[in-house]
């Protein structure tokens, strides 16, 4: 319909669209709906085996990705909770013990002088003050 | 009279010489100073005494943590060298909360550095259920045990046990729930023989009888003790049970257990470990199961008070259920 208006002498000298333009314009409005179908139509040029192989691969990889995601979620949960129950308390307690021992060592150092870092060390004695005669 | 295998044979792998008890009514454990455990092997004879039949799987089972649920407070008080009393308060969500009073008497006849006889252990619940055991050394080789268990006023278990320790063998006969009027009862006979200093073989025969049916189950057992490991295998009509206990160093002990049952056609493998850190006053037991069960128990001595705290957690990954509990032991 728009094309007919263009062809009337009242339209003006500029617009002389080729007939394909009319068809194009017509299909311009429908292009959004048909572009996927046009692209899909392009795939029909490939042989059937290739198309089915590609389809299987695509859907297979989507399934694998989904399964991998859910498996990694479950594995992460199982691993974390098992580690929490089996290993974490021992780690806490051994670290606490280490800190306590360090603290004791430090206290001993402060109390008995810097040479008394180890439990078997000699305490550092102050030299006797000189007596003034 | 045809002999058939009954479906409800009681499981005798509980405490020594006792039928397994329903949950909540476990027989009290005999306290350490008077434990009638394995005596030291005879040093004179070439082959040592192999210990009792039930003790063979015990070393591995002790490595595994027990499932704890709810809160438990235990107060132990020693009134004298021979007498000890314990109060237990249990608060739980799944089972009944209650109070239990226990008393232990250790006699004056001393057979070894850590053993004295007779030993009388009794336990009474707030509902009136009683567990009682009397263990006595009749002669130097014969030990006897009588145990009864009641649920409120009804007698549930009563049994008598006689054990003979020879130079290189141990045999025991247990008579469980004998009822002369009904003509029912269970007889269990154990025999364990040392073949070599490391290898012990034995057998078990369970005969049970009820009015109208009777049956027998036999099983064979072999135990091999190595330098720092113990491997035990039990094969019987009821299934197979294999345990392996390994002592890695003085802090770490490992246990692997395989159990297969003919009745339920199920098998299960569990792996457990026990970590002992006396410097940190810590005892940690963990276990992983083929049923996707992960569990651990942490026991800590809160010095300088004679207080000990145990925290336990069990998680079933497949069913996504979790159970935790803690025990406080005073004294």
């Amino acid at each position: 319909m728009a094309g007919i208006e263009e062809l009337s002498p009242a339209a003006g000298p500029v617009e002389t669209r080729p007939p394909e333009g009319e068809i194009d314009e017509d299909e311009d409005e429908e292009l959004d709906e048909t572009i996927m179908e046009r692209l899909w139509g392009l795939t029909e040029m490939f042989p059937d085996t290739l198309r089915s192989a590609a389809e299987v691969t695509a859907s297979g990889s989507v399934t694998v990705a989904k399964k991998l995601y859910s498996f990694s979620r479950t594995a992460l949960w199982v691993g974390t909770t098992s580690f929490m129950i089996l290993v974490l308390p021992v780690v806490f307690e051994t670290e606490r013990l280490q800190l306590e021992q360090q603290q004791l060592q430090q206290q001993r150092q402060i109390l008995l002088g810097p040479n008394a870092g180890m439990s078997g060390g000699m305490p550092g004695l102050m030299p006797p003050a000189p007596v003034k005669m | 009279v045809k002999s058939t295998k009954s479906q409800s044979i009681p499981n005798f792998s509980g405490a020594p010489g006792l039928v397994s008890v329903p949950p909540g009514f476990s027989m009290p454990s005999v306290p350490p100073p008077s434990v009638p455990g394995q005596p030291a092997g005879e040093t004179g004879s070439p082959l040592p005494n192999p210990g009792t039949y039930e003790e063979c799987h015990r070393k591995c089972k002790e490595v595994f943590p027990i499932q704890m649920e709810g809160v438990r407070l235990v107060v132990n008080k020693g009134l004298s060298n021979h007498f000890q009393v314990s109060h237990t308060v249990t608060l739980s969500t799944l089972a009944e909360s209650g109070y239990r009073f226990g008393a232990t008497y250790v006699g004056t006849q001393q057979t070894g550095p850590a053993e004295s006889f007779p030993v009388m252990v009794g336990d009474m619940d707030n509902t009136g259920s009683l567990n009682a055991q009397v263990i006595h050394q009749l002669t130097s080789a014969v030990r006897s045990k009588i145990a009864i268990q009641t649920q409120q006023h009804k007698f549930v278990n009563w049994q008598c046990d006689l054990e003979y320790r020879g130079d290189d063998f141990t045999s025991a006969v247990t008579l469980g729930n004998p009822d002369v009027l009904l003509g029912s009862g269970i007889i269990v006979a154990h025999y364990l023989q040392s073949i070599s200093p490391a290898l012990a073989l034995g057998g078990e025969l369970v005969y049970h009888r009820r009015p109208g049916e009777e049956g027998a189950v036999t099983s064979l057992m072999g135990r091999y003790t190595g330098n720092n490991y113990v491997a035990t295998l039990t094969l019987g009509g009821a299934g197979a049970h294999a345990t392996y206990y390994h002592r890695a160093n003085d802090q770490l002990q490992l246990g692997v257990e395989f159990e297969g049952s003919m009745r339920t056609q199920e098998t299960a493998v569990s792996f457990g470990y026990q970590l002992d850190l006396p410097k940190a006053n810590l005892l940690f037991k963990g276990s992983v199961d083929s049923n996707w069960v992960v569990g651990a128990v942490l026991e800590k001595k809160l010095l300088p008070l004679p207080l000990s705290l145990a925290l336990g957690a069990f998680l079933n990954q497949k069913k996504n259920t979790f159970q935790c509990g803690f025990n406080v032991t005073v004294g």
Side-chain angles (χ1 to χ4, degrees), chain A residues 91-123:
Chain A
V91 166
F92 282 158
E93 284 298 316
T94 49
E95 278 205 26
R96 218 167 65 96
L97 178 70
Q98 265 184 10
L99 279 178
E100 255 184 58
Q101 283 182 341
Q102 261 182 19
Q103 227 185 23
L104 275 179
Q105 242 187 35
Q106 271 184 4
Q107 270 188 3
R108 223 179 278 136
Q109 259 189 6
I110 293 172
L111 201 59
L112 301 170
N115 296 331
M118 299 308 290
S119 53
M122 286 280 289

Side-chain angles (χ1 to χ4, degrees), chain A residues 13-27:
Chain A
V14 185
E15 343 249 23
T16 33
R17 286 200 196 158
E20 297 97 54
E22 300 166 15
I23 304 169
D24 273 337
E25 238 189 88
D26 252 325
E27 294 173 4

Side-chain angles (χ1 to χ4, degrees), chain B residues 271-295:
Chain B
F271 168 74
Y273 62 92
Q274 172 173 327
L275 195 64
D276 204 345
L277 296 173
K279 270 191 307 201
N281 292 320
L282 177 74
L283 184 74
F284 185 79
K285 298 185 185 178
S287 85
V288 185
D289 205 315
S290 70
N291 297 328
W292 293 82
V293 173
V294 169

Side-chain angles (χ1 to χ4, degrees), chain A residues 1-127:
Chain A
M1 286 266 281
I4 296 171
E5 283 176 4
E6 303 265 352
L7 284 177
S8 69
V14 185
E15 343 249 23
T16 33
R17 286 200 196 158
E20 297 97 54
E22 300 166 15
I23 304 169
D24 273 337
E25 238 189 88
D26 252 325
E27 294 173 4
D28 260 339
E29 293 162 1
E30 304 160 45
L31 203 62
D32 299 85
E33 292 142 50
T34 59
I35 194 165
M36 290 307 293
E37 286 172 12
R38 292 182 80 189
L39 288 173
W40 189 253
L42 279 179
T43 65
E44 280 173 6
M45 75 169 146
F46 297 112
D48 258 341
T49 51
L50 186 65
R51 285 173 63 197
S52 55
E55 182 178 334
V56 163
T57 311
S59 65
S61 53
V62 165
T63 313
V64 163
K66 281 188 190 166
K67 280 198 182 155
L68 196 69
Y69 173 66
S70 102
F71 170 74
S72 63
R73 278 182 69 174
T74 317
L76 189 66
W77 172 254
V78 169
T80 306
T81 52
S82 304
F83 174 79
M84 208 173 75
I85 288 183
L86 292 177
V87 179
L88 209 55
V90 182
V91 166
F92 282 158
E93 284 298 316
T94 49
E95 278 205 26
R96 218 167 65 96
L97 178 70
Q98 265 184 10
L99 279 178
E100 255 184 58
Q101 283 182 341
Q102 261 182 19
Q103 227 185 23
L104 275 179
Q105 242 187 35
Q106 271 184 4
Q107 270 188 3
R108 223 179 278 136
Q109 259 189 6
I110 293 172
L111 201 59
L112 301 170
N115 296 331
M118 299 308 290
S119 53
M122 286 280 289
L125 295 170
M126 292 284 291

